[in-house]
Amino acid sequence: MIRTGTDKKWFDELVLELRLQQVYGAAIGDTVASARELLADTGQSAEEAFGPARHYAASLDLPRAPQYEWMRTALWPAMIGLLAFLLFTQAAAAWAQSEPLLLSPAQLALIAAPVIAVALLPLYLAAIVRRIRAIVLLVAFGGLAGFFSSVVAPSNRAEAWLALDPVPWLVTCSLVMVALSIMNTVRARRPGSSDGIIDPLAEASAGEGRGTRVAMVVTNWLFPLFALVMLGVVSLFR
């Protein structure tokens, strides 16, 4: 049992560091349980017994997922879904005004900026996870890029680089987002697909399991849900 706020912070840091190393959830649960048992026996604090959490995590030899597996299963689908959603919002606005989808180089650059930031995530993931302020800045960057992409949108065909029919883009982007959500949902329902951290000393709660499954389904369908809300909003101005 973690008895102090200091120990709780240490264990939180340990779990974070092991997650960054892509250690499997079951192995993390076993490691945390073993450390708790040792602290209960010795009466020491976590810092006294094991040293800094980051250094202790680095010293452990635990089973890990393949190095780039998370990029294939999570990062790339998220990046494609984000791009589809951003294009969907632009096409939806044009459709609501019964106008062609007008695009300029500056607008495309701003749409691509959040996608590029996601694509480069492996280069700075550890840095932003360890700093909450960096996560806030990254989210703000994505929001501002989306906002300014609308600000710099061409007002007429003469200013546009491309003039497209918005309906095919609405349909295509919708299909891409739905297909990714179905793929992620099917993958999440496969036996052994969950990599949650399980405490071997604690009894699992059925309610907690249902809550986790519901949260996972909602997460997998976030882009289609946001797109549906966006479509409803722009329809009011059609």
Side-chain angles (χ1 to χ4, degrees):
M1 182 176 183
I2 302 174
R3 294 163 299 174
T4 67
T6 301
D7 278 357
K8 183 180 185 308
K9 181 181 178 182
W10 188 93
F11 276 101
D12 288 344
E13 292 177 358
L14 176 65
V15 170
L16 173 62
E17 293 298 330
L18 293 177
R19 276 301 194 191
L20 288 174
Q21 296 178 23
Q22 301 177 55
V23 174
Y24 288 115
I28 296 177
D30 289 340
T31 300
V32 170
S34 298
R36 287 177 176 175
E37 286 183 320
L38 180 62
L39 296 183
D41 292 338
T42 63
Q44 294 177 291
S45 69
E47 187 82 19
E48 291 172 342
F50 305 107
R54 188 172 179 179
H55 294 166
Y56 181 65
S59 70
L60 298 174
D61 184 16
L62 299 173
R64 293 169 170 79
Q67 185 175 5
Y68 298 109
E69 181 181 16
W70 73 277
M71 294 176 60
R72 177 180 59 83
T73 60
L75 180 63
W76 296 115
M79 186 178 67
I80 295 171
L82 176 60
L83 179 59
F85 175 73
L86 292 173
L87 290 173
F88 179 92
T89 59
Q90 300 292 324
W95 171 78
Q97 299 172 24
S98 299
E99 295 179 352
L101 174 58
L102 303 178
L103 297 172
S104 67
Q107 187 180 12
L108 289 174
L110 286 167
I111 292 174
V115 179
I116 295 173
V118 172
L120 297 177
L121 193 59
L123 300 178
Y124 56 87
L125 177 63
I128 67 167
V129 168
R130 294 188 181 110
R131 297 172 179 82
I132 299 299
R133 189 175 301 176
I135 298 176
V136 174
L137 290 175
L138 183 63
V139 173
F141 169 74
L144 289 173
F147 170 75
F148 284 112
S149 69
S150 299
V151 172
V152 301
S155 58
N156 54 64
R157 286 179 179 267
E159 298 176 357
W161 183 45
L162 291 172
L164 307 170
D165 182 353
V167 175
W169 287 91
L170 277 176
V171 174
T172 301
C173 292
S174 299
L175 291 175
V176 169
M177 288 186 288
V178 170
L180 288 171
S181 295
I182 293 174
M183 181 188 71
N184 291 333
T185 301
V186 170
R187 179 183 292 150
R189 292 180 64 86
R190 290 175 182 167
S193 62
S194 175
D195 190 32
I197 298 174
I198 301 174
D199 186 345
L201 302 179
E203 294 184 2
S205 168
E208 289 179 358
R210 284 194 298 270
T212 300
R213 288 193 293 271
V214 170
M216 185 175 297
V217 170
V218 172
T219 300
N220 289 335
W221 287 85
L222 274 182
F223 283 132
L225 290 173
F226 286 156
L228 190 60
V229 172
M230 172 66 68
L231 193 62
V233 171
V234 299
S235 295
L236 297 176
F237 301 96
R238 183 170 172 77

